[in-house]
Amino acid sequence: LAVKDPTAVERANLLNMAKLSIKGLIESALSFGRTLDSDYPPLQQFFVVMEHCLKHGLKVRKSFLSYNKTIWGPLELVEKLYPEAEEIAASVRDLPGLKTPLGRARAWLRLALMQKKMADYLRCLIIQRDLLSEFYEYHALMMEEEGAVIVGLLVGLNVIDANLCVKGEDLDSQVGVIDFSMYLKSDDDIGGKERNVQIAAILDQKNYVEELNRQLNSTVSSLHARVDSLEKSNTKLIEELAIAKNNIIKLQEENHQLRSENTLILMKTQHHLEVTKVDVEAELQTYKHSRQGLDEMYNEARRQLREESQLRQDMENELVVQVSMKHEIELAMKLLEKDIHEKQDTLIGLRQQLDEVKAINMEMYQKLQVSEDAMKEKNEIIDLLEDKTNQINATMKQLEQRLQQAEKAQLEAENEDEKLKQEYVNKSESLQKEFSQKEKQLLQLETDLKIEKEWRQTLEDDLQKEKETVSHLQIETQEIINLKKEFIKLQEKNRQLKRICQDQEAALQELASKLSESKLKIEDIKEANKALQGQVWLKDKEATHCKLCEKEFSLSKRKHHCRNCGEIFCNACSDNELPLPSSPKPVRVCDSCHAILIQRCSSNVP
């Protein structure tokens, strides 16, 4: 007969138990009609069955002191594959009462059931077979088709509403035993088939409604994202439109100014032409009266006409030159502003690079501290191992002494037997009894010797393992020494980068100072141009009294002229002073418009 694979039989049994537990949990929950809590027996049995399914074929992971076999490793891997599972993993790690990995795995299963995403999490896990092979054997339930079937069955649990208290429950010490009495059929189960059909229809409707709700939520989120993007683009277009309108208004104002200047020039030229026409007519009348100097007058009029036309051409050329100079000044101002912004951007970028270098230095310093702590721990472990090897050597010496004593006792017993045979030949019966006793003692000594040899062999094996661990720790210490050397190299590179960064900061500070000086000069030029546009100073003869105190100007009361409003004040009334970065001394400011005052000589002062 063909022998069945025991692992296949185990997988089939676990799959059938999972089907029964999931089916029983759904039916009992719908008949129960309320949210389930942690004391509900079918729910407890479901978690026990899931724990057995996840433990099937799990590899034994070796740790330093013991062997570890837990399902927390593959479940912890879910948060890397499914980003929404990070919240569950973080909350499980933060629970205060959990001390073992198995307790964390049980809490994770309960939280996943409450979120109704256990099927999604396990589906992401079974898809990654190459990652699961690190935790499970090739014949495990999660590596075969039965795992996919169980994940499909878990989708039906989305109809259950569970409210489980994980914080106060003792999940570390629970015993996972399956209660098969819950899954035995009874008369009530046979009579409730129609009810099960109705429950299945209700479940299908609920699943359809939940799936429709998920699709609607995804469409709503996508529409919200599109609305946000459209609002952002609309605001950008409105800003660009406002900027374009401002530019159009500025260009219209400049065009209007140029047209007004052009009309003034045309009016002047027409006036000159009219004057010349009047002169020509008068000369023609005089020519009619007297024809003597006709040629001379005609040539002179022609020459004057040419001069006037040349003057008109020169005026138009000067107008074109002034317009081009104005455009060039505006372009130079824009280029200066652009250069300033670019240099500010370079300053920001260099500062960001400096911050990144500082962050890298802090990370390297933290890594060095971590490696030093690990080195200290490993040195302590090496010391403990050395003490343990010394103890093992001492015990081996004691065993050897005991072995030598046993051999001596055996030799003494043999000598005594030979002496007894020679001396007491006649007393055969008594000798046989004593000989049988000695044989029993010899057998006991041989068994003790065998036990001691086996103990010695086990101690030698433990000593060999300890030597291997010591060699492994020596290799790790060598790696730590290499890491220290790399860290020293990185520190040297960091110092060089700090020097380069300091040099760049000094250069940037110089550039910033020069740029600030140039910007201040440009602002001073702008203020001077604004102040000089359309302002006319009063004559010294007309300005005889101060505008505020109405006192006459003298040697002690000097004149100060406002470049903006054109008012004249004395030095006693214009006491407001303002420091400027472009001038070493503070300047006086107008009381009415707060513009810079310019000192003028009074009429009676040279």
Side-chain angles (χ1 to χ4, degrees), residues 233-252:
S233 61
N234 192 9
T235 53
K236 288 181 180 178
L237 290 172
I238 289 168
E239 291 175 357
E240 291 177 357
L241 181 63
I243 292 166
K245 284 182 179 179
N246 292 326
N247 293 327
I248 290 166
I249 292 165
K250 289 179 182 178
L251 291 171
Q252 286 178 355

Side-chain angles (χ1 to χ4, degrees), residues 148-210:
V149 175
I150 289 172
V151 171
L153 293 171
L154 290 174
V155 177
L157 295 177
N158 293 334
V159 301
I160 296 173
D161 296 326
N163 187 8
L164 308 176
C165 184
V166 183
K167 189 173 182 181
E169 192 172 358
D170 187 11
L171 299 174
D172 294 328
S173 61
Q174 286 184 359
V175 180
V177 179
I178 300 173
D179 187 7
F180 293 99
S181 63
M182 295 178 64
Y183 307 109
L184 298 175
K185 290 185 177 180
S186 61
D187 296 334
D188 296 333
D189 296 332
I190 295 167
K193 289 184 179 179
E194 295 179 356
R195 185 181 178 186
N196 292 331
V197 172
Q198 294 176 358
I199 289 168
I202 292 166
L203 288 175
D204 294 335
Q205 290 177 1
K206 187 176 181 181
N207 290 328
Y208 173 73
V209 170
E210 286 184 352

Side-chain angles (χ1 to χ4, degrees), residues 304-527:
Q304 288 179 358
L305 183 61
R306 287 177 181 175
E307 288 177 356
E308 293 294 333
S309 61
Q310 187 67 32
L311 287 170
R312 181 181 177 184
Q313 190 69 29
D314 293 336
M315 291 292 288
E316 288 178 355
N317 291 328
E318 286 178 359
L319 179 63
V320 172
V321 169
Q322 287 180 358
V323 171
S324 64
M325 286 175 68
K326 186 176 180 182
H327 285 297
E328 287 177 357
I329 290 166
E330 289 178 353
L331 286 171
M333 293 287 288
K334 289 178 180 178
L335 289 171
L336 281 171
E337 289 178 354
K338 186 177 180 182
D339 193 8
I340 289 164
H341 289 302
E342 288 177 355
K343 288 177 180 178
Q344 287 177 353
D345 293 335
T346 54
L347 277 169
I348 292 165
L350 289 170
R351 285 176 182 170
Q352 290 176 356
Q353 290 178 3
L354 179 61
D355 294 334
E356 290 175 357
V357 169
K358 289 179 179 178
I360 290 165
N361 290 332
M362 290 297 293
E363 288 179 0
M364 293 304 296
Y365 181 70
Q366 290 174 359
K367 287 181 180 178
L368 178 62
Q369 287 182 347
V370 171
S371 63
E372 287 178 354
D373 294 334
M375 187 71 181
K376 289 178 182 178
E377 290 177 357
K378 288 176 180 177
N379 289 325
E380 291 176 357
I381 292 165
I382 289 165
D383 295 332
L384 291 171
L385 290 172
E386 288 177 354
D387 295 334
K388 196 172 182 180
T389 51
N390 293 325
Q391 292 176 2
I392 291 165
N393 289 324
T395 53
M396 285 181 70
K397 287 178 180 178
Q398 291 176 2
L399 289 171
E400 286 177 356
Q401 290 175 1
R402 289 177 68 184
L403 182 62
Q404 289 176 1
Q405 290 175 1
E407 289 175 354
K408 288 178 181 179
Q410 188 177 2
L411 291 170
E412 289 175 357
E414 288 176 357
N415 292 324
E416 287 177 358
D417 288 333
E418 289 176 358
K419 289 177 181 179
L420 289 169
K421 283 179 183 179
Q422 291 175 1
E423 291 176 355
Y424 303 102
V425 177
N426 297 323
K427 296 178 181 180
S428 60
E429 293 178 358
S430 63
L431 286 172
Q432 284 178 358
K433 291 179 181 179
E434 290 177 359
F435 185 71
S436 63
Q437 291 177 359
K438 295 292 181 182
E439 281 182 353
K440 288 179 182 179
Q441 290 178 0
L442 183 63
L443 288 171
Q444 288 179 357
L445 289 170
E446 286 178 355
T447 53
D448 292 335
L449 183 62
K450 286 180 181 179
I451 290 165
E452 287 176 355
K453 284 182 179 179
E454 290 177 356
W455 191 19
R456 183 178 180 181
Q457 187 65 32
T458 54
L459 289 172
E460 286 178 355
D461 293 335
D462 292 334
L463 181 63
Q464 187 66 29
K465 289 180 181 178
E466 296 296 332
K467 286 180 180 178
E468 289 177 358
T469 53
V470 168
S471 63
H472 183 65
L473 289 170
Q474 286 177 355
I475 292 165
E476 287 183 353
T477 53
Q478 189 65 32
E479 289 177 356
I480 290 166
I481 290 164
N482 293 327
L483 284 172
K484 280 187 177 179
K485 291 179 181 178
E486 290 179 359
F487 181 72
I488 290 164
K489 291 179 181 178
L490 288 171
Q491 278 185 343
E492 290 178 357
K493 288 182 181 179
N494 188 10
R495 289 170 186 169
Q496 291 177 1
L497 288 171
K498 279 184 178 179
R499 289 173 187 170
I500 293 166
C501 186
Q502 288 176 359
D503 296 336
Q504 288 177 355
E505 283 182 350
L508 287 171
Q509 286 178 358
E510 291 177 359
L511 286 171
S513 62
K514 290 181 180 179
L515 285 171
S516 61
E517 289 176 359
S518 62
K519 195 169 183 180
L520 290 170
K521 288 179 181 178
I522 289 164
E523 289 178 354
D524 292 338
I525 291 166
K526 284 182 180 179
E527 288 180 358

Side-chain angles (χ1 to χ4, degrees), residues 21-249:
S21 64
I22 292 169
K23 184 179 178 183
L25 179 60
I26 292 170
E27 291 177 355
S28 61
L30 292 174
S31 62
F32 191 57
R34 289 185 285 114
T35 57
L36 305 181
D37 54 0
S38 58
D39 295 331
Y40 194 58
L43 187 60
Q44 292 178 354
Q45 287 298 312
F46 165 72
F47 287 125
V48 171
V49 172
M50 284 303 299
E51 187 177 337
H52 281 281
C53 291
L54 290 171
K55 281 183 179 179
H56 183 261
L58 193 66
K59 288 183 179 179
V60 178
R61 299 178 69 85
K62 293 181 180 180
S63 64
F64 185 71
L65 297 174
S66 64
Y67 295 98
N68 188 10
K69 186 176 180 181
T70 180
I71 59 175
W72 174 239
L75 293 179
E76 195 176 9
L77 190 64
V78 176
E79 62 177 332
K80 297 179 182 178
L81 304 174
Y82 204 84
E84 293 182 4
E86 292 178 357
E87 185 179 355
I88 294 179
S91 59
V92 168
R93 291 191 193 97
D94 294 336
L95 285 174
L98 299 178
K99 296 179 181 178
T100 60
L102 184 60
R104 295 190 187 95
R106 289 168 177 169
W108 189 91
L109 289 173
R110 282 157 175 76
L111 291 174
L113 181 64
M114 283 194 287
Q115 278 192 345
K116 296 184 180 181
K117 289 186 179 180
M118 185 185 290
D120 297 334
Y121 295 157
L122 295 179
R123 183 176 61 80
C124 292
L125 190 62
I126 64 171
I127 289 170
Q128 303 292 331
R129 296 286 177 87
D130 53 349
L131 297 176
L132 277 180
S133 62
E134 297 179 0
F135 301 96
Y136 290 99
E137 301 289 344
Y138 67 94
H139 57 77
L141 179 71
M142 297 297 289
M143 299 290 287
E144 297 293 336
E145 294 180 357
E146 287 84 354
V149 175
I150 289 172
V151 171
L153 293 171
L154 290 174
V155 177
L157 295 177
N158 293 334
V159 301
I160 296 173
D161 296 326
N163 187 8
L164 308 176
C165 184
V166 183
K167 189 173 182 181
E169 192 172 358
D170 187 11
L171 299 174
D172 294 328
S173 61
Q174 286 184 359
V175 180
V177 179
I178 300 173
D179 187 7
F180 293 99
S181 63
M182 295 178 64
Y183 307 109
L184 298 175
K185 290 185 177 180
S186 61
D187 296 334
D188 296 333
D189 296 332
I190 295 167
K193 289 184 179 179
E194 295 179 356
R195 185 181 178 186
N196 292 331
V197 172
Q198 294 176 358
I199 289 168
I202 292 166
L203 288 175
D204 294 335
Q205 290 177 1
K206 187 176 181 181
N207 290 328
Y208 173 73
V209 170
E210 286 184 352
E211 188 65 27
L212 186 62
N213 193 10
R214 287 182 184 176
Q215 292 179 359
L216 290 172
N217 287 328
S218 63
T219 53
V220 167
S221 62
S222 63
L223 288 171
H224 279 301
R226 288 182 65 188
V227 167
D228 294 334
S229 62
L230 289 172
E231 286 179 354
K232 290 178 181 178
S233 61
N234 192 9
T235 53
K236 288 181 180 178
L237 290 172
I238 289 168
E239 291 175 357
E240 291 177 357
L241 181 63
I243 292 166
K245 284 182 179 179
N246 292 326
N247 293 327
I248 290 166
I249 292 165

